[in-house]
């Protein structure tokens, strides 16, 4: 079995690592020759708009998937002539545009914060008149990790906010004073079977995920089943195959969808040690047409991202039972360099190690 992965970053790298024990071969495609996934499996360097490069990449593959959602839809559609592409490219179209994505959620019964398309300052004025301030203004496309968005707190900021983000092609959202942020990771197989990991609680700083706790502490089972119902609506509508992540705000006990990722997700990295089957393995199983594995948690996990800089490996490993994953990337501000997972049977026992590691990371 040979699986191709569009994108050669850490997610592709971790899918490739999960493929070895299953005897599945992987091959990555990325325009950057130094993509970190290339350190662990074959990397085809090429441009997404080069049909010949895509064809060479696809030669002999049984299925193709992707590890980031900004893969050009044209490239994914073109590759479908060579091998099945999962998740379906429609998932890319939906996830690449925050407006299409929010409308898709609404059309499939998933509540979101109030939103409106913004093409000018007057659109923003109109939205603010009914949604109120503050609000969040975002670019519809190519925003990630908090990039391409500003919080607008007062009317005199409207003009600058709209022009800072390019003047048009924007979306405004009501600012949600959420209790917490959670995500659901769902997986659906080629024959339509689906499974869900327990909800994860996520902490962001400067728009970048820093910490995930899984299962999210003190989750009402009803919130879990609501999240699963919302995810099922999207999985079914897209005739989805693979892992899908949906991020939610918990607002007055209700789930409001913020965004989805049609791929394995940073808030699922804990599953490598913390679940019976990791998200990477389950994604691969789904794409390869294999039976899904159990999504049950093994005790409790806390995942800490290593962003921009990282403490030394001996310092991290000295902090108890830390599972370290470095991605082989050169340090750079804001860059995800690796993550650490703490796993244990009692969540309270993880807290002292978590505090030690947090201090180490802050000082790095
Ligand atoms: P995003 O790029 O949309 O995932 O946003 C990154 C982070 O910004 C989210 O995880 C939230 O912490 C925050 N954020 C985004 N949209 C909103 C919103 N409508 N209200 C409050 N906070 C938000």
């Amino acid at each position: 079995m040979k699986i191709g992965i569009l994108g050669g970053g850490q997610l592709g790298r971790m899918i490739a690592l999960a493929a070895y024990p299953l005897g599945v071969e992987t091959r990555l495609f990325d325009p950057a020759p130094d993509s970190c996934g290339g350190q662990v499996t074959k990397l085809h360097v090429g441009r997404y708009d080069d049909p010949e490069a895509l064809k060479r990449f696809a030669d002999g593959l049984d299925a193709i998937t992707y590890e980031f959602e900004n893969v050009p839809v044209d490239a994914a559609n073109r590759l479908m002539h060579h091998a099945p592409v999962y998740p379906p490219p429609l998932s890319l179209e939906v996830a690449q545009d925050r407006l299409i994505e929010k409308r898709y959620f609404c059309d499939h019964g998933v509540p979101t914060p109030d939103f409106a398309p913004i093409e000018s300052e007057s659109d923003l004025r109109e939205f603010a008149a009914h949604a109120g301030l503050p609000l969040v203004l975002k670019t519809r496309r190519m925003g990630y990790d908090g990039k391409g968005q500003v919080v607008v707190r007062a009317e005199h900021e409207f003009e600058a906010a709209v022009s800072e983000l390019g003047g048009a092609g924007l979306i405004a959202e009501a600012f949600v004073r959420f209790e917490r942020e959670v995500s659901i990771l769902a997986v659906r197989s080629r024959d339509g079977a689906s499974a869900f990991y327990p909800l994860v609680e996520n902490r962001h700083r400067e728009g970048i995920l820093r910490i995930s706790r899984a299962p999210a502490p003190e989750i009402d089972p009803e919130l879990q089943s609501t999240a699963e119902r919302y995810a099922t609506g999207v999985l079914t509508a897209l005739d989805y195959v693979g892992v899908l992540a949906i991020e939610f705000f918990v607002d007055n006990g209700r789930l409001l969808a913020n965004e989805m990722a049609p791929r394995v997700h940073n808030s699922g990295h804990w599953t490598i040690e913390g679940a019976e089957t990791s998200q990477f393995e389950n994604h691969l199983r789904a794409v390869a047409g294999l039976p899904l594995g159990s999504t049950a948690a093994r005790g409790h996990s806390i995942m800490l991202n290593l962003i921009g800089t990282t403490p030394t490996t001996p310092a991290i490993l000295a902090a108890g039972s830390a599972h370290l994953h470095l991605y082989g990337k050169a340090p750079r501000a804001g860059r995800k360099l690796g993550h650490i997972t703490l796993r244990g049977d009692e969540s309270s026992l993880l807290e002292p190690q978590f505090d030690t590691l947090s201090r180490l990371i802050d000082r790095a």
Side-chain angles (χ1 to χ4, degrees):
M1 179 77 71
K2 291 195 181 81
I3 304 290
I5 303 166
L6 300 173
Q10 66 265 19
L11 301 178
R13 175 180 166 118
M14 287 187 274
I15 297 171
L17 291 173
Y20 282 97
L22 295 178
V24 171
E25 246 184 73
T26 54
R27 184 187 295 171
L28 306 173
F29 185 91
D30 200 293
D34 60 348
S35 300
C36 71
Q39 296 165 12
V40 307
T41 190
K42 279 184 242 66
L43 172 69
H44 282 233
V45 178
R47 292 197 330 260
Y48 287 109
D49 61 358
D50 177 350
E52 284 308 310
L54 291 172
K55 195 165 156 220
R56 280 194 299 277
F57 166 70
D59 187 40
L61 292 176
D62 297 294
I64 298 170
T65 187
Y66 34 88
E67 59 99 74
F68 81 122
E69 66 268 35
N70 286 319
V71 166
V73 178
D74 281 352
N77 282 330
R78 194 180 285 280
L79 284 166
M80 293 224 290
H81 298 296
H82 302 283
V85 175
Y86 302 118
L90 174 61
S91 333
L92 290 173
E93 275 179 56
V94 173
Q96 283 175 1
D97 184 319
R98 290 182 193 275
L99 180 64
I100 296 176
E101 182 180 54
K102 289 250 156 45
R103 287 182 172 152
Y104 202 83
F105 282 138
C106 294
D107 290 347
H108 296 90
V110 185
T112 69
D114 263 356
F115 65 92
I118 302 295
E119 295 300 327
S120 65
E121 194 194 331
S122 74
D123 288 349
L124 189 59
R125 213 164 279 289
E126 201 177 304
F127 177 72
H130 79 264
L133 289 171
L135 55 81
V136 188
L137 189 64
K138 302 179 179 179
T139 54
R140 282 173 56 177
R141 302 181 70 86
M142 300 304 276
Y144 65 95
D145 283 350
K147 294 189 178 73
Q149 61 175 277
V150 287
V151 176
V152 180
R153 297 182 189 281
E155 271 198 41
H156 71 261
E157 296 170 5
F158 287 3
E159 192 186 342
V162 171
S163 71
E164 183 188 328
L165 295 183
L170 308 176
I171 178 173
E173 298 172 12
F175 184 89
V176 182
R177 290 188 170 80
F178 51 80
E179 288 105 65
R180 54 176 163 169
E181 293 186 84
V182 296
S183 55
I184 186 113
L185 283 119
V187 58
R188 188 166 182 270
S189 67
R190 284 201 204 178
D191 59 11
S194 52
F196 306 89
Y197 290 92
L199 279 168
V200 182
E201 178 174 316
N202 301 312
R203 293 268 162 83
H204 295 82
R205 203 167 65 218
E206 289 146 9
I208 306 180
L209 180 68
R210 304 286 160 158
I211 292 153
S212 292
R213 283 169 197 270
E218 291 164 35
I219 286 287
D220 184 337
E222 217 163 286
L223 206 69
Q224 176 76 31
S225 52
T226 303
E228 292 183 10
R229 182 161 45 82
Y230 292 161
T232 301
V234 176
L235 290 174
T236 313
L238 289 169
D239 194 15
Y240 198 87
V241 174
V243 166
L244 171 82
I246 307 182
E247 296 183 75
F248 296 99
F249 303 125
V250 182
D251 181 35
N252 286 319
R254 287 184 52 216
L255 293 173
L256 298 177
N258 177 33
E259 62 179 357
M260 67 179 216
R263 55 168 169 79
V264 291
H265 192 252
N266 196 169
S267 69
H269 289 2
W270 64 275
T271 59
I272 297 174
E273 292 85 12
E276 291 297 334
T277 316
S278 81
Q279 62 162 346
F280 303 103
E281 179 172 337
N282 255 339
H283 182 72
L284 205 69
R285 288 188 187 210
V287 168
L290 298 168
L292 300 180
S294 164
T295 48
R298 292 175 178 155
H300 298 266
S301 300
I302 308 179
M303 192 267 336
L304 301 92
N305 264 343
L306 299 169
I307 294 165
T309 55
T310 164
T312 65
T313 295
I316 293 169
L317 298 184
S321 65
H323 299 279
L324 175 61
H325 298 260
L326 292 174
Y327 307 147
K329 289 158 76 174
R332 192 199 300 153
R335 202 175 200 200
K336 290 177 177 167
L337 303 178
H339 73 269
I340 301 168
T341 300
L342 296 170
R343 196 212 69 83
D345 295 334
E346 296 282 337
S347 62
S348 58
L349 299 180
L350 299 178
E351 293 304 329
Q353 292 177 58
F354 171 72
D355 289 343
T356 307
L357 284 167
S358 299
R359 277 196 298 275
L360 264 179
I361 290 171
D362 286 345
R363 281 202 305 261

